[in-house]
Each structure stands twice: as C-alpha cells, then as structure tokens.
Amino acid sequence: MSEEQFTNISMVVCLSGLIIFMGFIIWDLGKQSNAGKFGTAVLFLVLGLGVGGFIFKNVLVEFLVLKK
C-alpha cells in the first residue's frame, strides 16, 4: 500500500468518524437543551449544512479541478 492510498483511506475513515461524532454531539445538544423534536431537527438541519457544504466542496474539487 502506497502512502497516497493510505492517506486517502484514512481520510475517508477519519472524516466519516468525525461526522458521525458531530451528529452525536448535535443530538446530545438538542437533548440537553430540551429543544424537542422540532428544535433538534432544526439543529441537525442548520449544523448539518456545514458538513454538507464541506462534502459538496470536496465533490466539486474532485470533478471540476482534478479531472482536467
């Protein structure tokens, strides 16, 4: 396994773990603040958009910049 392959695999695994952990943090934040179902859904929507933006940026870089 080359260093590039190891880096790509570890980035996917570590970032996936971080995103899952952030989801747990958002759920715990909604639970501790007594936000209710709607408040927790809003927390996931708003804070999840940041994660979605990060993933979308990486997809754009893969397809638009690196495919040339």
Side-chain angles (χ1 to χ4, degrees):
M1 177 182 294
S2 70
E3 181 185 356
E4 182 181 1
Q5 290 173 329
F6 176 75
T7 302
N8 288 335
I9 292 171
S10 62
M11 284 294 290
V12 169
V13 170
C14 290
L15 282 177
S16 298
L18 180 64
I19 290 170
I20 291 169
F21 184 61
M22 288 172 59
F24 170 74
I25 291 171
I26 294 170
W27 174 77
D28 193 47
L29 179 65
K31 183 179 169 187
Q32 287 184 2
S33 65
N34 294 325
K37 290 181 182 179
F38 180 71
T40 304
V42 169
L43 281 171
F44 270 105
L45 177 69
V46 172
L47 297 175
L49 283 176
V51 173
F54 177 76
I55 293 170
F56 185 67
K57 177 194 67 111
N58 286 333
V59 169
L60 282 178
V61 167
E62 274 295 318
F63 286 113
L64 295 178
V65 175
L66 299 178
K67 294 296 179 182
K68 289 184 178 183

